[in-house]
Amino acid sequence: MTSSSAPSRKALSKIACNRLQKEMVEWQVNPPAGFKHKVTDNLQRWVIEVSGAPGTLYANEIYQLQVDFPEHYPMEAPQVIFLPPAPLHPHIYSNGHICLDILYDSWSPAMTVSSVCISILSMLSSSTVKQRPADNDRYVKNCRNGRSPKETRWWFHDDKV
Amino acid sequence: MATEEEEVAAEVEALQAVYGDDCLVLDSYPPHLHLHIMPRTADVTSEQFVEAVIAIRASSQYPKEPPQIELIDSKGLDDERKKLLMTCIRDKAVELSSCLMLVALCEEAVDKLSQMNHPDGDCPLCLYPLVQEDEQKKILRFMKLMSCFHCFHCECIIRWWDWLQTEQKSNPIDSLSSTVHSVRTNEKKKDGGAEDSIGNCPVCRKVFHTKDFEHVLDLVGSLPFQLSSAENEMEDSEKLRHSHQENIRRQRFEATFKLQQENCGLIEPKKEVRVLPGMFLPLPVTPPTSAETEESHEQQQEGDPPVASEMHTGASSQMPNTTEHRNRGMRKQRAQHNSRRPGKRWVRRENGSA
């Protein structure tokens, strides 16, 4: 795994730990529809299975999201990427990086893993075409040294998909 | 018939007299009005967690027929409480049927709303219940943003606020990871006019201002934690508050305060205390200015550990007052902010004309 294991692995703060434990419990009681959390003992990295919603381009397809939490979660956004193979989508790069504003500039500490997952599924569901972003090759080449998507300066131009 | 109409008109007038601007009369006969209701908190807005606007619309058959009552707008109320509020008022209307009831209905509405005046659910930042006891069986303090009534634990929202501030300092605008919040606040600061806008509500992204925070900044001083502090520091400061040394410091402060009262607010630290031979004096020991006197007065009223006694105990005294210092620092900062404002405006105008 190259780009996926790159984020600076500073241990979670106590506050981040408490909050994530709470989110974990909440998830177990009430998981968002279409998602399965793959149980590990690593609180700092969640791997989540996403099932494409029925009636959309991604129906019957299963993908994996990897969520890495920074030391100061939830002040800082988690890093969320698709593990290969990433779904074909105009906002998802072939290296799994996702162009979605709430993961970067528009992150708010009131968001949760669960709400982020729902946003990603809704982004998938509203897609009308299965294709890579226009600048995929250039972007992926730029990220080759295991750069985190959080270091990308994203332009959020499309609010349709 | 005419007398009945007069009576109803008098009732509407009475309502207007009681509720003033909170009562908007759309029609005086048959009465149709909007009432903005707030819980009874003796106008302490920081203790208000709910508010609502209800519409009361009577027909020409009023008071034989009870008026229609609808909820038009509300803040801080979940669906359950909204429903309960409406049911209570409507039940009251049925109960009072055929009497003039507008005033009684409004009273009922305010009563019920006052009973519902508590925040509900979990803190959106830590996800633990807003109203809960921590390990020491103490209730965590919570606060609400004044503009949108979203509630958070004080500790949580201040931690976040503090985070935004540091983020802003360490990440200049062109930094790769600058957040929406910091960018916005930076921009605001630049144009000078709206410096008091400090961020967006984490829940609804509504911009909030310093005024949203002022009531919490005051609370910070009385909270046993330091901004962005770790939990163990919290315990330490708690222990310190009860330590023997701290008690002595408190007594000394009380003595100084008494002296201050006797001398009409002006105190001069006693000379012999200050110049003991061999005593370490942190250099410039500034005689208390009038501003400082005011502040220490304030702190005394809040029942907080003293700052002024620092000069007696010399070097050993820093830690226990860190919260005070922070708080004081913040107040000062804000004061400076304000005092700088006119200057900035002037500069701006100058630029405009140039």
Side-chain angles (χ1 to χ4, degrees):
Chain A
M1 218 151 290
T2 50
S3 67
S4 48
S5 52
S8 55
R9 305 295 287 170
K10 267 199 163 177
L12 293 172
S13 69
K14 197 171 177 220
I15 288 151
C17 255
N18 285 342
R19 154 100 185 211
L20 276 174
Q21 273 156 1
K22 184 82 183 167
E23 281 197 52
M24 187 75 93
V25 171
E26 211 80 28
W27 180 293
Q28 277 153 3
V29 177
N30 187 19
F35 294 91
K36 230 187 258 165
H37 174 242
K38 290 184 138 185
V39 185
T40 60
D41 52 6
N42 188 352
L43 195 62
Q44 197 163 7
R45 169 173 289 179
W46 295 20
V47 176
I48 295 166
E49 231 175 60
V50 194
S51 316
T56 69
L57 289 180
Y58 305 89
N60 302 318
E61 293 175 22
I62 289 181
Y63 297 98
Q64 289 194 325
L65 282 172
Q66 176 178 278
V67 188
D68 282 291
F69 299 95
E71 180 189 6
H72 293 295
Y73 181 77
M75 302 297 140
E76 294 172 275
Q79 178 197 294
V80 187
I81 58 172
F82 275 104
L83 292 178
L88 272 174
H89 184 283
H91 294 164
I92 300 171
Y93 292 86
S94 54
N95 63 357
H97 291 194
I98 307 166
C99 178
L100 179 63
D101 60 348
I102 56 157
L103 296 177
Y104 315 105
D105 293 14
S106 302
W107 168 256
S108 147
M111 291 175 185
T112 61
V113 183
S114 176
S115 73
V116 165
C117 283
I118 291 167
S119 296
I120 291 175
L121 186 58
S122 120
M123 186 181 97
L124 279 182
S125 301
S126 54
S127 170
T128 53
V129 55
K130 274 185 160 180
Q131 64 178 36
R132 290 280 174 227
D135 59 341
N136 185 64
D137 292 350
R138 188 162 43 96
Y139 176 77
V140 173
K141 215 165 114 191
N142 267 330
C143 291
R144 230 181 250 158
N145 302 326
R147 216 171 67 172
S148 157
K150 290 176 79 182
E151 289 161 33
T152 305
R153 190 207 290 250
W154 296 95
W155 292 91
F156 306 106
H157 32 64
D158 181 6
D159 49 9
K160 287 190 285 292
V161 177
Chain B
M1 198 62 195
T3 49
E4 204 162 77
E5 204 173 316
E6 272 163 32
E7 272 172 16
V8 173
E11 200 191 9
V12 173
E13 250 171 58
L15 267 186
Q16 280 179 299
V18 175
Y19 292 96
D21 290 341
D22 290 331
C23 176
L24 177 68
V25 178
L26 303 174
D27 264 315
S28 49
Y29 194 85
H32 181 198
L33 49 96
H34 287 180
L35 188 73
H36 180 198
I37 49 175
M38 283 161 287
R40 293 197 179 95
T41 56
D43 288 333
V44 181
T45 47
S46 60
E47 283 172 23
Q48 252 179 47
F49 298 101
V50 292
E51 65 175 39
V53 179
I54 54 170
I56 302 180
R57 181 172 209 160
S59 69
S60 52
Q61 295 306 304
Y62 174 80
K64 282 176 211 94
E65 205 176 74
Q68 301 274 328
I69 299 146
E70 301 295 338
L71 184 66
I72 292 185
D73 195 14
S74 72
K75 279 183 187 174
L77 287 173
D78 53 301
D79 290 341
E80 209 171 297
R81 280 183 290 172
K82 280 183 204 168
K83 214 174 136 195
L84 180 64
L85 179 67
M86 285 301 102
T87 317
C88 288
I89 306 173
R90 286 176 190 142
D91 286 353
K92 190 80 179 174
V94 174
E95 184 192 320
L96 297 175
S97 198
S98 81
C99 310
L100 290 172
M101 62 174 93
L102 292 182
V103 176
L105 286 184
C106 295
E107 286 299 295
E108 173 77 6
V110 175
D111 277 351
K112 283 289 173 281
L113 195 70
S114 300
Q115 288 167 22
M116 297 174 179
N117 185 31
H118 55 84
D120 200 49
D122 300 332
C123 168
L125 299 182
C126 69
L127 308 181
Y128 286 84
L130 274 171
V131 187
Q132 69 162 2
E133 290 178 336
D134 63 9
E135 302 93 50
Q136 285 107 45
K137 296 277 164 216
K138 267 187 312 205
I139 291 173
L140 288 175
R141 305 188 82 141
F142 54 82
M143 57 80 69
K144 71 159 204 285
L145 292 176
M146 304 305 273
S147 40
C148 55
F149 280 34
H150 282 120
C151 294
F152 311 88
H153 290 128
C154 290
E155 211 182 303
C156 296
I157 190 88
I158 288 165
R159 188 184 301 124
W160 174 71
W161 183 61
D162 202 36
W163 172 264
L164 285 188
Q165 305 304 304
T166 20
E167 185 94 325
Q168 215 170 294
K169 266 180 228 144
S170 58
N171 291 345
I173 280 185
D174 58 357
S175 143
L176 289 175
S177 56
S178 63
T179 67
V180 160
H181 312 288
S182 56
V183 170
R184 275 200 199 141
T185 34
N186 275 340
E187 277 168 3
K188 292 273 164 60
K189 278 206 176 120
K190 264 204 226 141
D191 62 42
E195 306 128 290
D196 59 342
S197 154
I198 54 172
N200 302 75
C201 167
V203 177
C204 65
R205 296 191 196 274
K206 192 166 177 172
V207 174
F208 63 80
H209 302 270
T210 319
K211 77 172 166 58
D212 277 319
F213 247 83
E214 268 161 356
H215 59 293
V216 205
L217 291 182
D218 291 339
L219 286 177
V220 179
S222 57
L223 273 179
F225 81 97
Q226 196 184 328
L227 294 178
S228 73
S229 70
E231 263 96 308
N232 51 357
E233 277 173 333
M234 237 152 108
E235 282 164 26
D236 283 350
S237 85
E238 197 49 34
K239 268 182 228 154
L240 264 165
R241 266 168 201 244
H242 301 294
S243 72
H244 178 62
Q245 206 192 2
E246 186 54 32
N247 281 335
I248 296 176
R249 286 158 51 74
R250 215 167 286 166
Q251 280 162 18
R252 282 198 183 136
F253 177 78
E254 270 155 30
T256 318
F257 181 57
K258 214 176 147 196
L259 188 72
Q260 180 189 348
Q261 280 181 320
E262 282 164 10
N263 296 341
C264 310
L266 294 170
I267 48 165
E268 176 96 4
K270 281 185 183 161
K271 293 280 191 293
E272 68 269 22
V273 179
R274 284 175 63 198
V275 227
L276 282 178
M279 186 171 177
F280 172 71
L281 290 178
L283 255 183
V285 178
T286 43
T289 63
S290 59
E292 263 177 17
T293 317
E294 240 180 67
E295 267 167 17
S296 43
H297 187 97
E298 215 177 293
Q299 275 154 5
Q300 174 66 14
Q301 285 181 333
E302 287 165 16
D304 280 337
V307 170
S309 57
E310 214 170 277
M311 62 185 86
H312 302 297
T313 44
S316 68
S317 60
Q318 286 299 334
M319 312 90 76
N321 292 318
T322 38
T323 51
E324 255 66 50
H325 278 292
R326 283 291 199 123
N327 193 18
R328 218 155 58 125
M330 234 175 288
R331 279 188 201 146
K332 267 188 191 153
Q333 254 178 19
R334 275 190 288 144
Q336 278 167 6
H337 237 107
N338 290 340
S339 64
R340 236 183 284 137
R341 233 184 240 169
K344 268 193 183 171
R345 283 213 192 102
W346 180 74
V347 169
R348 207 150 59 101
R349 247 179 248 146
E350 180 94 337
N351 284 345
S353 66

